[in-house]
Amino acid sequence: MKKTLLSLTVAAGLLASAPAQAAEKLTVLLDWFTNPDHAPVITAQTMGFFEAEGLEVEIVEPADPAMPPKLVAAGQGDIAISYQPTMHAHAEEGLPLMRIGTLVETPLNSLIVLKDGPIKDLKDLKGKTVGFSVSGFEDAMLGQMLRSAGLSVDDVELINVNFSLSPALMSGQVDAVIGAYRNFELTQMEIEGKPGKAFFPEENGVPVFDELIYVVNKDKTGDPRFAKFLAAVEAATIFLTNHPEEAWNAFIEAYPNLNDELNKRAWADTLPRFAKRPAALDAGRYRRFAEFMAEAGLIKEVVPVETYAVEIR
């Protein structure tokens, strides 16, 4: 792979400080197909940050997006990218998983309407249709957002549009969609000439949460490779923050099929949301969100944060 002079200089400096020893293999299971949400991991791979930590990382796209955490729990993978709401549910189910780091430290999930449509405020959703893909957390999130506007889920009609969120909204099948990502669906709609407007859950009654996290098998939390992984991801995040265009060029060289306007704009839109300190843990924030999930009936009880999340030092 060709690299610019800056890339070579950075990589050379990193490798010079790395001990001369055989690379340790590590498998990372993505939550979805490769996309700009994974920029820190991909940048760590393409720009040599994993190599500098003595790691040989295999990045695997899932055949089934629900499986990566379960595979890691079963010992069939080292690290899985997952979601904080899912982590709380898995903790209650007793899956032997532990959150060790954060990839995207703000929600990406949102409720989206047509920018030029009749819905200017959440209260305008009364009597309207809302499309969704996955019931459960999305229902609870929508319910809380509606309550913040003096409404309830009984005031709207829910329609399962599967994973066709933005097409269902743009075609007029529904008046709004819940579960759309603000860094993708909004841009997709604008590109297609149907601009959207997003209502953010964290601004409408839902406690802030980490959209994407790193989880490992609880019995392997002390594996020294994980600290190296997080160090590499942190360095990569700082690099792509300082040099987003160069990191983007390396990304599309590795994944040329993603070289389009949607992914390039999503790359820029997601950049501010990556955790600059991926290993850091805000236990209070996790506890507040668990309490929200318990109140919504998504989990039965709020268990201690330390039973499912840790800060590796």
Side-chain angles (χ1 to χ4, degrees):
M1 179 184 294
K2 295 180 181 178
K3 295 186 176 75
T4 65
L5 179 59
L6 177 58
S7 300
L8 292 171
T9 302
V10 170
L14 291 168
L15 292 172
S17 63
Q21 59 183 19
E24 298 178 279
K25 294 184 178 182
L26 189 72
T27 301
V28 177
L29 309 181
L30 301 183
D31 60 301
W32 196 247
F33 56 83
T34 306
N35 64 75
D37 290 350
H38 308 128
V41 176
I42 303 303
T43 299
Q45 184 82 299
T46 59
M47 306 303 290
F49 292 99
F50 284 142
E51 187 178 358
E53 290 291 336
L55 296 176
E56 180 183 333
V57 176
E58 179 186 9
I59 299 172
V60 180
E61 297 180 343
D64 178 352
M67 288 304 296
K70 298 176 182 178
L71 291 173
V72 165
Q76 299 177 38
D78 298 308
I79 298 175
I81 294 177
S82 189
Y83 308 84
Q84 184 184 337
T86 304
M87 181 72 233
H88 292 287
H90 284 161
E92 181 170 78
E93 292 170 12
L95 284 181
L97 292 171
M98 184 71 74
R99 170 266 178 215
I100 62 164
T102 301
L103 172 54
V104 176
E105 64 184 0
T106 74
L108 296 177
N109 222 310
S110 61
L111 183 146
I112 293 179
V113 300
L114 291 175
K115 186 175 182 179
D116 297 329
I119 300 170
K120 307 301 181 184
D121 191 88
L122 286 175
K123 65 178 182 295
D124 297 330
L125 285 170
K126 185 177 178 64
K128 298 295 193 293
T129 55
V130 179
F132 71 96
S133 295
V134 182
S135 61
F137 172 61
E138 289 181 5
D139 295 348
M141 182 170 61
L142 174 63
Q144 183 58 47
M145 295 177 72
L146 290 172
R147 281 192 291 275
S148 74
L151 302 177
S152 74
V153 290
D154 294 331
D155 291 309
V156 301
E157 179 185 355
L158 293 174
I159 298 177
N160 190 337
V161 297
N162 295 315
F163 290 97
S164 186
L165 290 170
S166 52
L169 179 59
M170 289 188 290
S171 67
Q173 180 183 348
V174 293
D175 299 301
V177 291
I178 187 71
Y181 271 20
R182 63 193 71 173
N183 60 334
F184 274 93
E185 271 81 3
L186 276 180
T187 300
Q188 181 181 29
M189 293 174 67
E190 184 176 340
I191 290 173
E192 297 188 23
K194 292 263 190 176
K197 173 183 177 179
F199 294 94
F200 304 136
E202 69 273 21
E203 294 179 356
N204 294 281
V206 179
V208 68
F209 59 93
D210 296 336
E211 188 70 51
L212 293 174
I213 60 175
Y214 303 109
V215 301
V216 302
N217 189 295
K218 183 179 291 189
D219 296 333
K220 301 178 181 178
T221 306
D223 190 325
R225 293 176 301 166
F226 299 154
K228 295 177 182 179
F229 171 84
L230 291 171
V233 167
E234 179 174 329
T237 304
I238 299 303
F239 179 85
L240 72 90
T241 301
N242 292 336
H243 309 284
E245 191 66 25
E246 185 176 355
W248 164 254
N249 288 335
F251 177 78
I252 60 173
E253 190 169 349
Y255 299 92
N257 61 307
L258 299 181
N259 187 11
D260 57 32
E261 183 180 1
L262 175 59
N263 281 292
K264 186 169 186 177
R265 290 172 62 176
W267 181 275
D269 290 342
T270 315
L271 190 61
R273 303 183 180 278
F274 294 125
K276 304 300 188 296
R277 299 174 59 228
L281 171 65
D282 185 338
R285 190 158 89 161
Y286 270 68
R287 186 163 46 251
R288 286 190 295 274
F289 192 76
E291 290 168 353
F292 162 75
M293 291 192 66
E295 290 172 3
L298 297 175
I299 58 176
K300 294 180 181 179
E301 61 177 330
V302 178
V303 299
V305 174
E306 60 268 23
T307 63
Y308 60 85
V310 67
E311 184 170 335
I312 294 178
R313 299 181 183 275

